[in-house]
């Protein structure tokens, strides 16, 4: 029995960092997808091929899933299998092969997307009825088991797709009914280190608690206004909010020179606004621009050393590709 499941990548639109501390964020699912082919086997083995993250022929006894040294590229899939097995035991083994339509360097959430794919596939293959919320919970637990800190918005996006207003730990997962979002996306060429950056901001908050709380409150207000602007397709206001949000992220110290250069280049070329997307220091920046400036904005991002990535925003969540 074999199944192919896919889940979308994500881009944070507004509210990063604050979302770790209970503030809302807005995130969208992108058209580049993670695919997992999952098969139940007779031999009690866990087998994984994930060439995108340099895992070629990884094998171990299924009862040892999650135990001992796990190669970096195998962690999320292996712990996902372990967590599924702990909750919904079944006999035999599991063979997984993952293939991504996007680089794991982009910060599109490849780990969360593969975790969601594998749990969804196992639930289908074993006939375990899992609601979207139950799938989210088990996948989020997997990410937390590995990373320690994470707000889970990327897991929610992989499950539900679309564009979500999200409050951790899935307290609110509200799909925003929009039909388009003409984002311009630039990749910095640098991988953001989310855990380090979250810890860095948390240190800052220990020293300046009121200042940082205040920044989170301001970010929250921007997220609320962004929600309205998104629903109204008010790209000009959304661009302005991007600029405000970016300023607040700069105060948190997560902007980084490369992203900042790309963001300023986009603004100077006529964008309504631009900001980093995610933890900061690397990964991607996003921008919105009037139609007549899109070409110039893309060229400016490239000139600033970024790589423009064409994406479709607001796409479908996890789905079965075939059986
Ligand atoms: C990272 O993409 C976004 C952060 O808010 C961390 C998280 O929400 O898990 C910095």
């Amino acid at each position: 029995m074999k199944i192919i499941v896919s889940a979308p990548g994500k881009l944070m639109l507004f509210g990063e960092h604050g979302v770790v501390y209970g503030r809302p964020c807005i995130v969208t699912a992108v058209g580049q997808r993670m695919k997992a082919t999952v098969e139940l086997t007779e031999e009690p083995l866990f087998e994984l091929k994930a060439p995108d993250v340099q895992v070629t022929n990884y094998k171990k006894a299924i009862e040892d899933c999650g135990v001992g040294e796990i190669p970096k590229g195998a962690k999320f899939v292996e712990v996902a299998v372990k967590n599924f097995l702990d909750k919904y035991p079944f006999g035999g083994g599991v063979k997984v092969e993952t293939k991504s339509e996007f680089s794991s360097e982009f910060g599109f959430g490849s780990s969360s997307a593969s975790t969601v794919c594998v749990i969804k596939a196992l639930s289908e293959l074993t006939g375990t009825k899992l609601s979207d919320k139950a799938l989210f919970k088990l996948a989020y637990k997997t990410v937390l088991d590995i990373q320690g800190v994470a707000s889970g918005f990327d897991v929610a996006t992989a499950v539900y797709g679309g564009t979500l207003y999200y409050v951790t730990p899935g307290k609110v997962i509200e799909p925003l009914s929009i039909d388009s979002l003409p984002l311009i996306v630039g990749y910095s060429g640098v991988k953001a280190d989310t855990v380090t950056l979250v810890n860095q901001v948390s240190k800052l908050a220990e020293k300046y608690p009121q200042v940082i709380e205040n920044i989170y409150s301001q970010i929250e207000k921007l997220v609320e206004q962004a929600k309205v602007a998104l629903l109204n397709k008010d790209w000009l206001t959304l661009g302005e909010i991007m600029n405000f949000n970016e300023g607040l992220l700069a105060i948190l110290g997560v902007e980084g020179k490369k992203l900042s250069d790309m963001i300023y280049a986009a603004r100077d070329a006529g964008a309504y606004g631009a900001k980093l997307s995610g933890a900061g220091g690397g990964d991607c920046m996003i921008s919105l621009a009037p139609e007549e400036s899109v070409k110039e904005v893309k060229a400016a991002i490239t000139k600033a050393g970024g790589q423009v990535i064409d994406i479709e925003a607001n796409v479908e969540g996890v789905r079965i590709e075939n059986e």
Side-chain angles (χ1 to χ4, degrees):
M1 271 208 293
K2 200 189 227 177
I3 197 170
I4 301 175
V5 173
S6 80
K10 58 79 191 162
L11 274 169
M12 175 66 93
L13 300 179
F14 300 97
E16 49 272 268
H17 286 285
V19 66
V20 180
Y21 302 98
R23 313 292 183 149
C25 73
I26 298 176
V27 58
T28 195
V30 301
Q32 285 88 339
R33 301 182 79 84
M34 171 66 72
K35 281 201 175 116
T37 306
V38 182
E39 193 178 348
L40 296 184
T41 56
E42 278 184 16
E43 248 192 308
L45 288 176
F46 167 66
E47 299 172 69
L48 175 63
K49 273 190 200 159
D52 300 317
V53 282
Q54 288 77 51
V55 177
T56 41
N57 262 317
Y58 179 63
K59 236 183 233 193
K60 72 201 294 188
I62 191 137
E63 67 197 36
D64 292 339
C65 262
V67 179
E69 191 68 17
I70 307 174
K72 197 166 164 252
K75 272 189 187 156
F76 288 85
V77 172
E78 182 171 331
V79 177
V81 170
K82 177 202 179 302
N83 283 340
F84 187 89
L85 266 170
D86 283 353
K87 204 149 192 228
Y88 310 103
F90 60 89
V94 181
K95 205 186 243 185
V96 180
E97 185 164 351
T98 58
K99 187 88 201 78
S100 179
E101 291 172 355
F102 57 90
S103 161
S104 62
E105 303 287 300
F106 289 173
F108 280 6
S110 53
S111 308
S112 296
S114 54
T115 304
V116 166
C117 284
V118 168
I119 296 176
K120 174 75 178 173
L122 288 176
S123 73
E124 291 291 322
L125 288 169
T126 57
T128 311
K129 292 261 169 291
L130 274 191
S131 64
D132 283 349
K133 196 68 202 251
L135 169 60
F136 165 78
K137 279 192 175 163
L138 202 52
Y140 183 33
K141 173 185 165 27
T142 302
V143 172
L144 281 180
D145 286 349
I146 295 162
Q147 276 182 205
V149 284
S151 65
F153 73 93
D154 39 7
V155 178
T157 314
V159 173
Y160 294 89
T163 300
L164 303 174
Y165 173 93
Y166 175 88
V167 180
T168 197
K171 190 168 140 198
V172 182
I173 302 177
E174 181 188 339
L176 301 180
S177 170
I178 62 167
D179 55 18
S180 68
L181 179 61
L183 276 185
I184 300 168
V185 179
Y187 170 54
S188 66
V190 184
K191 179 90 196 106
D193 182 345
T194 302
V195 175
T196 304
L197 283 157
V198 168
N199 289 337
Q200 184 184 307
V201 175
S202 133
K203 280 231 169 70
L204 207 61
E206 275 169 29
K207 194 161 175 195
Y208 304 97
Q210 278 162 350
V211 177
I212 303 297
E213 262 310 298
N214 227 310
I215 301 291
Y216 290 152
S217 296
Q218 299 310 315
I219 290 178
E220 177 169 7
K221 288 189 183 117
L222 291 176
V223 169
E224 298 304 338
Q225 279 193 257
K227 185 177 167 185
V228 177
L230 252 175
L231 292 169
N232 289 333
K233 289 195 183 174
D234 182 352
W235 310 140
L236 169 71
T237 304
L238 272 177
E240 284 171 359
I241 296 174
M242 282 182 175
N243 291 340
F244 274 126
N245 197 163
E246 179 64 20
L248 296 170
L249 288 165
I251 298 174
L252 296 181
V254 298
E255 194 175 33
K257 169 99 174 70
K258 181 74 180 283
L259 278 175
S260 172
D261 287 350
M262 293 160 67
I263 288 162
Y264 275 89
R267 290 176 189 161
D268 289 347
Y272 291 133
K275 68 179 277 293
L276 67 83
S277 169
D283 290 351
C284 291
M285 49 76 70
I286 53 174
S287 178
L288 280 169
E291 226 170 288
E292 63 275 15
S293 304
V294 168
K295 229 173 122 193
E296 282 85 352
V297 170
K298 286 184 175 174
I301 292 171
T302 309
K303 199 160 167 233
Q307 177 194 338
V308 173
I309 305 172
D310 288 322
I311 59 119
E312 188 190 347
N314 197 43
V315 306
E316 195 186 349
V318 69
R319 68 175 181 229
I320 293 154
E321 295 288 340
N322 78 343
E323 277 172 69

